[in-house]
Every structure is written in C-alpha cells, then in structure tokens.
Amino acid sequence: MALLPIITAPDKRLEIVSTPVEAVTDEVRRQLDDMLETMYAAPGIGLAAIQVGIPKRMLVIDVSREGEEKRPLYIINPEFTWVSDEDKVYEEGCLSLPEQYAEVARPAEVKVSYLDYNGEKQELHADGLLAVCLQHEIDHLDGILFVDHLSALKRNMILRKLLKQKRLAEAG
Ligand code: GNR
Ligand code: NI
C-alpha cells in the first residue's frame, strides 16, 4: 500500500476524460487499494483515479462517519442507469480544490451500475451524501470539477485563488 500525491487545480490532467478499465486485474486492485489509503489519509469521502494521475474510469468512496465501521466502495466503469427529477443542493469540497467550498445542485437520487473490486457487476441506488459523492466522482472521470457547475464568476474566483496559492508554494 502506498500514499499517492493528489493533483490540485489548475492542472490540465484534471480535464482528461478517463478511459474504461478493460479488465479488473491485480494491478487495478493495487491501484484501488492505494487510492483508498490516500483518500482516508487526506481525509476525504471519495477519490477518482485521475486525482492521483491515473486516467482510468474508477473511484473509491467511503461516506461512513467517524467512529462507525468503515464502508469502502470500489467502483469501476460506473454508469448512471437512472437519476431523479428532483434536485438537491449540497455544499461541496474537493481534494483537488483545497479549502474551496460551494453549493452545487444535482439530482437527489441516482442509480449507478458498475464493476466491483472482484470485477462483478453491481447496481447501487443512492441518496443523500452518497448520491452527491457518486456524482462528484463520476464527474472527475469526465474531466469535470464541481466548480464547472458554478457561474463563470464564482468558478474563476476559486481557480484564480488556487493558481495564486500554487505560485506562492512554488516560489517557496
Ligand atoms: O472529501 C470530499 N468531500 C466532499 C464533500 C462534499 C461533496 C463532495 C465531496 S468529494 C471530496 C473528495 C474529492 O474531492 N473527491 O473527488
Ligand atoms: Ni473531487
């Protein structure tokens, strides 16, 4: 197991449309294990592979609360099979947009089909935080960040702030 560096915006890699996983091999499982460890350490409730530079359609999620038993989900090649007409607004953050938060409206409930850790087909009906997180992570697989759901004004404010932070960090 290994901790992987998380890419932060602005970075062109976060705009990549990731490609489907062809087979759930031991290498894929190793990458998922490292992603989960990286997500827990961050800490975060979800992580898409592209956030650690792997352009594959896979992600990990755990929305269990502190003190609860951990409930890791390994999700490969996800597809929405249904989304609710009803939307819900939630204040989102992103490990690739450190310390930036904004309200985003998304379908309140979703159904997602995917392959699990063993390469077996699964379907999941999610609401609440899990529905938010699934949509946030699947956006990453298509090169979309939560700020892309905001007005250009709000998006550019956040991205400019992050660019400044990056320049300051580079200058030491
Ligand atoms: O850790 C995370 N928290 C979070 C909070 C509200 C909505 C979405 C998220 S996902 C985020 C981790 C992350 O950036 N995943 O891509
Ligand atoms: Ni994110």
Side-chain angles (χ1 to χ4, degrees):
M1 300 264 274
L3 288 182
L4 309 170
I6 296 174
I7 296 170
T8 58
D11 190 307
K12 284 282 170 200
R13 288 172 292 178
L14 294 172
E15 296 169 25
I16 291 173
V17 177
S18 294
T19 56
V21 174
E22 295 220 351
V24 183
T25 59
D26 286 345
E27 191 207 357
V28 164
R29 276 186 280 271
R30 217 159 25 239
Q31 289 174 327
L32 288 166
D33 291 343
D34 289 344
M35 285 166 56
L36 191 73
E37 189 185 4
T38 301
M39 182 194 83
Y40 283 141
I45 59 170
L47 188 74
I50 194 59
Q51 293 180 273
V52 291
I54 303 169
K56 290 182 185 164
R57 300 189 76 82
M58 58 189 200
L59 55 100
V60 292
I61 288 182
D62 191 334
V63 296
S64 68
R65 278 178 291 195
E66 222 180 290
E68 281 181 358
E69 201 169 320
K70 283 188 167 41
R71 279 195 312 261
L73 282 172
Y74 304 88
I75 294 181
I76 300 164
N77 297 344
E79 285 180 32
F80 294 107
T81 56
W82 174 82
V83 302
S84 63
D85 290 331
E86 188 202 339
D87 277 3
K88 202 166 177 207
V89 174
Y90 197 89
E91 178 160 88
E92 298 197 17
C94 181
L95 294 173
S96 295
L97 303 162
E99 287 157 55
Q100 307 304 316
Y101 304 90
E103 289 193 333
V104 178
R106 303 181 185 271
E109 293 178 49
V110 297
K111 280 189 190 172
V112 174
S113 70
Y114 63 97
L115 300 178
D116 68 13
Y117 194 83
N118 298 312
E120 284 171 24
K121 203 167 171 198
Q122 303 287 348
E123 189 162 37
L124 178 63
H125 183 167
D127 62 10
L129 182 56
L130 181 56
V132 172
C133 195
L134 276 165
Q135 292 175 80
H136 175 116
E137 302 313 334
I138 293 170
D139 266 358
H140 275 303
L141 307 187
D142 291 319
I144 295 167
L145 301 173
F146 82 76
V147 290
D148 295 324
H149 294 281
L150 309 178
S151 68
L153 184 73
K154 285 187 187 169
R155 174 168 62 250
N156 290 331
M157 278 211 309
I158 289 176
L159 292 175
R160 270 198 300 268
K161 230 184 273 175
L162 289 166
L163 181 59
K164 254 187 212 165
Q165 280 177 20
K166 254 193 183 181
R167 293 214 172 113
L168 283 170
E170 275 166 24

